[in-house]
Amino acid sequence: MSIVVTGATGHLGRHVVRHLLEKVPADQVTAVVRDRDKAADLAARGVRIAVADYNSPETFDGLFASGDRVLLISGNEFDKGRVGQHTVVIDAAKKAGVALLAYTSAPSSLKAALTDDHRATEEVLIGSGVPYVLLRNGWYHENYTEQLAPVLEHGAVVQAAGEGRISSASRADYAAAAVAVLTGEGHENTAYELGGDEAWSFAEYAAELSRQTGKEIVYKPVSVEEYTGILTGAGLPGPLAGVLAGVDAAIAEGELVVSTGDLSRLAGRPTTPLAQAVAAALKG
């Protein structure tokens, strides 16, 4: 039996593997990656490495074994048909007879276009008959704290989210919840709505940045159209800019407030406060 993590060298995947190695022997962890070289550090720790690509179904032939527990981290290639990519993994898991497949989805409260692929993947997974867990991850602190350079340069947080609030958490928090499911019992055929313990607004985020940097950082709300233009001006493809701007519109409607407490319960600790994530980002 192995615990298999797809996308294991991605931001979330690395956190998951790191947490797993604190709980199970390295030879019980399989990291699925597209580039073996990027997983050299994991291999050095004794993690099994499997090379496979969501876009090449044959690379998943024989990758899973009966009794495996699998974490399917959703793909980020929005232009390559993510539902088809995910189905490749689900079909391979079903064929092998895995014990559990956990999928990183999105909160059911979020109605933005970003969630369409997640809902369709959930349908495929539930219909497959594979024992599943839906990890409906809310937003990550890092979605904002990793983009601080332009904010600090211009002294402004620019978003199209109005006065909406977000209950985000750190990637490490979501990874801890995933590991609890992968290593625990009694989670089969369950959906968890995951979000941080404290919701915050962009005005509060700007105020926290001001407090920690000693600079005046303001929140500048803009329209969805303006924000889409800003994103495309920064080099994002039009369709992706539209999807991200749509998320801001959803935030304005309160759709990224997740108050179930599922995340801190699964992680076994309070979620990381936004202020702590800001401090870590500013330290570099």
Side-chain angles (χ1 to χ4, degrees):
M1 190 278 285
S2 188
I3 297 176
V4 187
V5 181
T6 73
T9 52
H11 290 303
L12 179 62
R14 282 192 174 278
H15 279 291
V16 171
V17 173
R18 199 173 302 134
H19 280 281
L20 279 172
L21 293 177
E22 295 172 1
K23 292 201 167 192
V24 299
D27 63 1
Q28 290 182 19
V29 179
T30 298
V32 181
V33 301
R34 286 192 291 191
D35 184 341
R36 185 179 294 274
D37 291 344
K38 289 185 178 178
D41 59 318
L42 303 180
R45 297 187 66 180
V47 173
R48 297 175 183 172
I49 307 300
V51 178
D53 188 322
Y54 295 159
N55 299 305
S56 302
E58 69 280 1
T59 61
F60 280 90
D61 289 347
L63 195 155
F64 304 124
S66 176
D68 281 354
R69 295 181 173 206
V70 179
L71 176 63
L72 168 53
I73 295 180
S74 57
N76 58 7
E77 295 177 311
F78 293 91
D79 59 338
K80 290 191 176 178
R82 293 198 298 167
V83 180
Q85 292 179 329
H86 301 156
T87 300
V88 164
V89 181
I90 293 166
D91 287 348
K94 179 178 181 178
K95 186 176 180 181
V98 305
L100 186 73
L101 192 151
Y103 170 67
T104 60
S105 189
S108 60
S109 56
L110 183 62
K111 309 304 181 188
L114 178 74
T115 66
D116 292 349
D117 289 348
H118 290 305
R119 300 292 164 251
T121 299
E122 288 185 4
E123 287 187 20
V124 173
L125 178 53
I126 292 169
S128 73
V130 174
Y132 67 86
V133 178
L134 304 178
L135 296 169
R136 291 177 172 154
N137 289 357
W139 230 221
Y140 302 146
H141 291 328
E142 291 89 346
N143 290 346
Y144 303 106
T145 59
E146 288 181 350
Q147 311 295 330
L148 283 181
V151 172
L152 299 179
E153 180 184 348
H154 298 291
V157 173
V158 180
Q159 300 285 156
E163 298 178 6
R165 303 181 74 78
I166 312 169
S167 47
S168 63
S170 71
R171 288 195 187 103
D173 295 334
Y174 292 105
V179 168
V181 163
L182 292 167
T183 60
E185 301 298 333
H187 299 288
E188 292 84 356
N189 304 333
T190 303
Y192 292 109
E193 304 286 343
L194 304 175
D197 295 336
E198 300 290 336
W200 51 272
S201 68
F202 282 107
E204 291 168 343
Y205 176 53
E208 183 60 32
L209 287 171
S210 298
R211 186 183 72 80
Q212 293 200 31
T213 63
K215 302 175 183 176
E216 184 182 5
I217 310 289
V218 300
Y219 171 42
K220 182 183 177 185
V222 296
S223 69
V224 169
E225 292 74 22
E226 284 179 278
Y227 190 53
T228 304
I230 290 168
L231 294 175
T232 54
L236 265 65
L240 180 56
V243 165
L244 294 179
V247 171
D248 265 29
I251 291 170
E253 297 297 322
E255 294 178 13
L256 268 175
V257 174
V258 181
S259 54
T260 60
D262 284 353
L263 182 54
S264 53
R265 266 195 299 276
L266 283 174
R269 55 171 173 73
T271 60
T272 304
L274 179 64
Q276 186 176 322
V278 168
L282 291 172
K283 282 180 184 172

